[in-house]
Amino acid sequence: QVQLVESGGGLVQAGGSLRLSCDASGRTLSNYGMGWFRQAPGQERDFVAAITWNGDNTYYADSVKGRFTISRDNAKNTVYLQMNSLQPEDTAVYYCAAGSRLIVTTLRIWNSYDYWGQGTQVTVSS
């Protein structure tokens, strides 16, 4: 019903920036909360950021707060993750996700989301 495609990943040096995009098809994202998760080699899939369906509220993992910014443009059916001051510890596959019934106590949990993108690799070199 919803297809999500991430883009914008790549290789950057420590201190650099990237902006990830998540483009949706199948139906509008206007009624979905959106999240970004990441999974580093040998680690669990960790919460990065989330945004409510109308963009009124954003949520961040402590590890990225102040460096990353999540935003959305419902008219374009797109969600963004601006990543600044990247560090090698940010290296991971980044996934975009959409959820229809998210609440503040569940939006940090990966299996609370209904749809997922294929992921995009972010590699930060030191």
Side-chain angles (χ1 to χ4, degrees), residues 16-31:
S17 297
L18 286 173
R19 188 178 77 160
L20 305 183
S21 297
C22 175
D23 297 313
S25 62
R27 67 163 295 174
T28 179
L29 294 180
S30 61
N31 292 323

Side-chain angles (χ1 to χ4, degrees), residues 12-110:
V12 298
Q13 294 184 349
S17 297
L18 286 173
R19 188 178 77 160
L20 305 183
S21 297
C22 175
D23 297 313
S25 62
R27 67 163 295 174
T28 179
L29 294 180
S30 61
N31 292 323
Y32 289 83
M34 301 296 298
W36 287 95
F37 289 74
R38 67 186 183 185
Q39 188 166 20
Q43 300 185 21
E44 298 291 315
R45 185 174 299 183
D46 293 329
F47 170 77
V48 176
I51 187 167
T52 52
W53 68 271
N54 59 3
D56 286 349
N57 293 295
T58 57
Y59 308 86
Y60 297 94
D62 289 342
S63 58
V64 306
K65 190 173 184 179
R67 299 188 297 122
F68 291 10
T69 303
I70 187 172
S71 61
R72 66 189 301 164
D73 187 340
N74 287 344
K76 297 181 178 179
N77 234 22
T78 302
V79 180
Y80 305 96
L81 184 68
Q82 178 67 46
M83 306 186 295
N84 298 327
S85 301
L86 285 163
Q87 301 299 315
E89 294 76 25
D90 298 314
T91 295
V93 177
Y94 283 71
Y95 298 91
C96 174
S100 61
R101 296 185 179 274
L102 300 174
I103 58 177
V104 294
T105 56
T106 65
L107 53 80
R108 291 174 170 82
I109 303 170
W110 67 269

